[in-house]
Amino acid sequence: MLRARWPDRRRDLAGWLLTPLVTLVAAPVTAGAVGVLILLGGGFSQSPTFCESVVSDNRCEEKTLAMLGEHAVLFGAVWLLLWLVPWWRGLRTPRVLLAVVATLVLVAAPLRMMR
């Protein structure tokens, strides 16, 4: 008879608290640093490609703010999911992976503007 292997259910309250809090601080700083590096490299010298459909109406600013808002809302949703992962030690890896995904969501915004 096969036994299902359950994750380690010992408490990891420090990891459960610190992972979302560090993500909330580090992800925007990382995205901002990527944006500054792209800006210094000259990556924002022309309109982003996602603005091509609205450039004739001069609505690139609205399109850019909508895209940044989408990334911020998606980051918030993934960040809230971090609090839903139980505080078991066996779920530390999925919690960290979810924090990396949340960070990548914010870092993707300046990368989308570069293209």
Side-chain angles (χ1 to χ4, degrees):
M1 184 169 170
L2 295 173
R3 292 178 53 184
R5 188 166 189 272
W6 292 94
D8 185 4
R9 289 190 177 202
R10 290 181 290 166
R11 289 186 179 192
D12 184 24
L13 290 178
W16 183 75
L17 288 172
L18 288 178
T19 303
L21 295 177
V22 168
T23 302
L24 185 63
V25 172
V29 170
T30 304
V34 168
V36 167
L37 289 175
I38 291 171
L39 183 64
L40 291 175
F44 294 135
S45 59
Q46 57 191 13
S47 295
T49 55
F50 66 84
C51 282
E52 289 176 355
S53 62
V54 294
V55 116
S56 62
D57 297 335
N58 197 19
R59 294 180 35 91
C60 190
E61 181 179 0
E62 289 86 358
K63 183 87 169 178
T64 301
L65 289 175
M67 185 272 300
L68 291 174
E70 290 170 2
H71 281 267
V73 167
L74 190 57
F75 168 76
V78 175
W79 184 78
L80 287 174
L81 283 176
L82 281 171
W83 291 104
L84 293 178
V85 177
W87 50 82
W88 304 334
R89 187 169 294 176
L91 296 177
R92 185 180 292 169
T93 302
R95 192 179 308 119
V96 170
L97 289 175
L98 203 55
V100 169
V101 167
T103 304
L104 290 177
V105 165
L106 281 187
V107 170
L111 293 177
R112 278 182 68 187
M113 293 182 68
M114 183 180 72
R115 292 187 270 144

